[in-house]
Every structure is written in C-alpha cells, then in structure tokens.
C-alpha cells in the first residue's frame, strides 16, 4: 500500500515524478527550482513531494547520436513506469531532447506527462510573441518533434541558427555544460548566435536544452529569454498544487 503525504490546509499536493540524469547538472537545477518555487508559494519549510529516478546518461548519449530512438523510448518508458509504481502522479522528463520519445512514455503510464514544450509555449503566448529563436541540441534544433508542437499548438514560428552555429551550440552542451563546465568564451559564442537570430527577426530566444540555463541568463541576451528548465519546473509545481487531486 502506498503512503499518502498529509494534505496541507492551504493546498492539496500531488507527487511529481522526475526522470533525471540527462544530464545530472540540469537535473540538480530542476530539484532546486521546484523546491524554491514550493517554498515561495507555500511558505515556511514546505515542499511539494517529488521522486527522481536518475538514469545513466552514459547509456543514452551514444544511442542518441546513433539515432536509436526506439530503444531510448523503451528506456524512458521503463523509467516512467518505475516512478508511477513508486507513487508519482505525473511525469516530468528533465530534458528537451528526450521529448522526442514522449509518446512512448505516454503509452506506458496512466499518469500525465507534463510536456516541456507546453510549458514553453504557454509562456511565449503569455508574452505575446510569435517568432522565436531556438537553441538546443542538434536533435531539438534540426528535427521537428519540438518545433512542430510549438508551431501547431501555440502558433510560434521557430528560427534556428545556421549549420555551423548549430554545431557550436550542440558541442558546448555535450562537451562542456553536461560536465558542469561553464566558459565565458562559450557564453560569448551563444550571445553572438542570439544576436544573429535577433537580426533575422527573432523576438525572443528559447533555451531549448535544460543545460543552457547554466550558461545563459536574461542579462546575457539581447532578446527576452524563455528558460525551459525554469518554465518546466514552475509548471510542475503549478500542477502539483492544482485543484482536483
């Protein structure tokens, strides 16, 4: 029998299930942001309940670059099922790239997946913008699983960097940020790329990889910044505290 946390008089709380480890650097940010948001909204020492299952990124990064998405979908589905069995009431996949296999997760569990592109699209809509630059891994920038959701559900036109600049953005993520290395020279390159996309008509920039939050803040960008890590974490807390538990 699963134990339920006590219900506070000021809010009913549901348990967030986090699939982390892709990379551990951004997963730590999720945990920090979720608990900061909880305390800000509930006061005192309160946190919303959460579970995190950390996968081995070493068994995921190589298949990503081989294009073995079917096998990766099975891994994510298994992780989600384990969280559901442990008492999670929603799934938060702590990575933009692996939302490529979101359907496999949704098919495997009976609880909702809180999609990171929905948190982002809602924020862009609230801001009244419609033409956004997208930075992320090659998979997120070059394939349509992320861009299509933003376009079809939120009416967002998405701009991505040129091929040489996409290579730089991708390399910085995998070779530096995933290892916790934050370099001023890389930040300067990202700023140059953002400036170039602004010149092409971008009204804001989506930090479409959960590690980019380690490198780029609003003060570093000529464009309004949509930090998917923070937006996703805040959406998870919204859901955990929402009515209808």
């Amino acid at each position: 029998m699963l134990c339920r946390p006590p219900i506070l008089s000021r809010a009913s709380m549901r348990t967030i299930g986090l699939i982390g480890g892709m990379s551990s650097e951004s997963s730590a940010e999720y945990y920090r942001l979720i608990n900061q948001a909880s305390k800000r909204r509930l006061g005192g020492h309160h946190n919303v309940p959460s579970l995190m299952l950390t996968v081995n990124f070493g068994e995921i990064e190589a298949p990503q670059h081989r294009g073995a998405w079917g096998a990766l979908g099975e891994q994510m589905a298994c992780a989600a099922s384990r969280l559901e069995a442990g008492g999670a009431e929603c799934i938060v996949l702590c990575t933009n790239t692996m939302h490529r296999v979101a359907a496999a997760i949704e098919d495997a569990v009976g609880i909702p997946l809180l999609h990171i592109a929905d948190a982002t699209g809602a924020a862009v809509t609230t801001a009244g913008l419609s033409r956004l630059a997208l930075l992320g891994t090659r998979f997120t920038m070059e394939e349509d699983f992320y861009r299509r959701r933003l376009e079809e559900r939120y009416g967002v036109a998405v701009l991505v960097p040129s091929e040489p600049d996409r290579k730089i953005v991708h390399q910085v993520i995998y070779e530096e940020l995933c290892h916790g290395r934050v370099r001023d020279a890389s930040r300067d390159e990202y700023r140059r790329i953002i400036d170039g996309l602004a010149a092409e008509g971008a009204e804001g920039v989506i930090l479409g990889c959960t590690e980019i939050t380690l490198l780029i803040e609003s003060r570093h960008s000529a464009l309004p910044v949509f930090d998917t890590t923070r937006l996703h974490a805040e959406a998870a807390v919204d859901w955990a505290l929402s009515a209808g538990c």
Side-chain angles (χ1 to χ4, degrees):
M1 181 175 106
L2 294 176
C3 297
R4 289 279 184 188
I7 296 177
L8 297 175
S9 60
R10 61 169 50 186
S12 296
M13 296 193 289
R14 297 183 285 188
T15 300
I16 301 167
L18 302 138
I19 305 178
M22 300 167 284
S23 67
S24 60
E25 299 292 331
S26 61
S27 299
E29 286 297 297
Y30 267 89
Y31 188 76
R32 181 181 67 82
L33 291 166
I34 285 171
N35 286 289
Q36 280 185 346
S38 300
K39 285 184 172 62
R40 186 172 67 249
R41 300 186 199 191
L42 297 173
H45 296 282
H46 294 302
N47 299 320
V48 298
S50 66
L51 307 172
M52 181 178 286
L53 191 153
T54 302
V55 299
N56 180 1
F57 194 33
E59 296 178 350
I60 291 168
E61 180 270 335
Q64 284 179 338
H65 287 89
R66 292 198 306 269
W69 297 106
L72 289 170
E74 292 177 6
Q75 285 182 258
M76 294 300 101
C78 179
S81 295
R82 290 173 66 186
L83 284 168
E84 184 179 28
E89 295 169 272
C90 75
I91 299 296
V92 171
L93 182 58
C94 302
T95 159
N96 285 272
T97 296
M98 292 305 291
H99 279 75
R100 192 186 189 285
V101 299
I105 295 172
E106 291 170 327
D107 289 345
V109 295
I111 56 178
L113 170 72
L114 306 186
H115 200 292
I116 195 168
D118 291 338
T120 304
V124 171
T125 298
T126 297
L129 305 182
S130 61
R131 188 172 175 84
L132 277 292
L134 173 64
L135 304 183
T137 66
R138 275 193 177 276
F139 315 112
T140 302
M141 291 187 290
E142 295 178 358
E143 300 188 33
D144 70 351
F145 66 93
Y146 196 90
R147 181 173 62 249
R148 185 178 66 249
R149 195 175 184 103
L150 290 174
E151 291 171 346
E152 293 180 353
R153 298 195 178 201
Y154 301 95
V156 175
V158 177
L159 303 178
V160 298
S162 65
E163 196 285 330
D165 285 345
R166 292 198 301 271
K167 181 178 180 181
I168 291 169
V169 172
H170 183 90
Q171 286 181 332
V172 168
I173 292 167
Y174 277 91
E175 297 177 12
E176 298 175 21
L177 300 179
C178 285
H179 300 289
R181 294 197 289 269
V182 178
R183 300 173 62 246
D184 289 340
S186 296
R187 181 179 293 116
D188 290 342
E189 283 288 84
Y190 270 52
R191 293 175 76 170
R192 176 187 62 77
I193 292 166
I194 292 169
D195 288 346
L197 291 164
E200 293 179 27
E203 301 169 316
V205 58
I206 296 169
L207 307 185
C209 175
T210 54
E211 279 76 32
I212 300 178
T213 188
L214 304 171
L215 185 68
I216 297 295
E217 300 175 13
S218 294
R219 62 191 176 94
H220 299 133
S221 173
L223 294 173
V225 166
F226 294 87
D227 179 352
T228 58
T229 311
R230 182 175 294 277
L231 292 170
H232 204 198
E234 293 276 355
V237 174
D238 287 343
W239 184 88
L241 296 177
S242 64
C245 298

